Amino acid sequence: MRLLGPRAHPLYPALFPIPIICFFGALITDLAYIASAEMMWLDFSSWLLLAGLIGGGVAGALLVVELIRAHDRRALLPHFLFLLAAWVIEVFNSFIHARDGWTAVVPTGLSLSIVAAVLGLLAGWFWQSAYHRSAKVSQ
């Protein structure tokens, strides 16, 4: 597997943090909405979900290309599965957040945000371990 070097896709490390940051930000704005019931926080959550889904879709497409090209897919597969699971959950979460008012967040929206944020962090952790393992192999 080569995540580093001339054959690796240079955009993926730049795009991959976008869904994680946006999904975690949506969780934070959901908590802010619950604390204040201010509609602005619900709007922020919706926009963060949209940005995370777009960024995650582009990053996921690049990751599929990287999975096809990789010699050792076992290191990238957990990362891909966690990122895909977080992305799918956030698709459903964005439909939940399209509701109006309190039911857009409590309880389903917040629960989905928590699960997706944890899955996104796990995807990041697995990518870092795959990235560091490939750095040791390529040296």
Side-chain angles (χ1 to χ4, degrees):
M1 173 183 56
R2 301 183 98 193
L3 291 176
L4 296 173
R7 295 186 52 153
H9 203 287
L11 287 178
Y12 185 73
L15 291 175
F16 169 61
I18 293 172
I20 294 175
I21 292 168
C22 290
F23 296 162
F24 200 77
L27 171 62
I28 291 170
T29 54
D30 283 349
L31 293 171
Y33 176 73
I34 290 171
S36 69
E38 184 69 38
M39 289 299 290
M40 168 188 69
W41 296 113
L42 178 60
D43 294 338
F44 286 168
S45 291
S46 297
W47 282 105
L48 284 166
L49 288 173
L50 177 66
L53 288 172
I54 291 171
V58 173
L62 292 175
L63 183 57
V64 167
V65 169
E66 201 62 42
L67 274 170
I68 292 170
R69 292 172 44 184
H71 297 304
D72 182 17
R73 290 177 183 87
R74 289 178 296 169
L76 278 178
L77 196 58
H79 164 66
F80 174 72
L81 293 175
F82 280 116
L83 183 63
L84 179 64
W87 193 84
V88 168
I89 287 172
E90 291 295 26
V91 166
F92 290 111
N93 197 10
S94 83
F95 290 131
I96 298 294
H97 275 74
R99 295 179 186 166
D100 194 26
W102 191 255
T103 60
V105 176
V106 178
T108 310
L110 178 64
S111 301
L112 292 175
S113 290
I114 291 169
V115 170
V118 169
L119 288 172
L121 291 174
L122 285 171
W125 187 79
F126 277 106
W127 184 74
Q128 282 294 332
S129 59
Y131 186 81
H132 288 299
R133 185 171 20 177
S134 72
K136 290 177 186 174
V137 169
S138 67
Q139 287 179 355

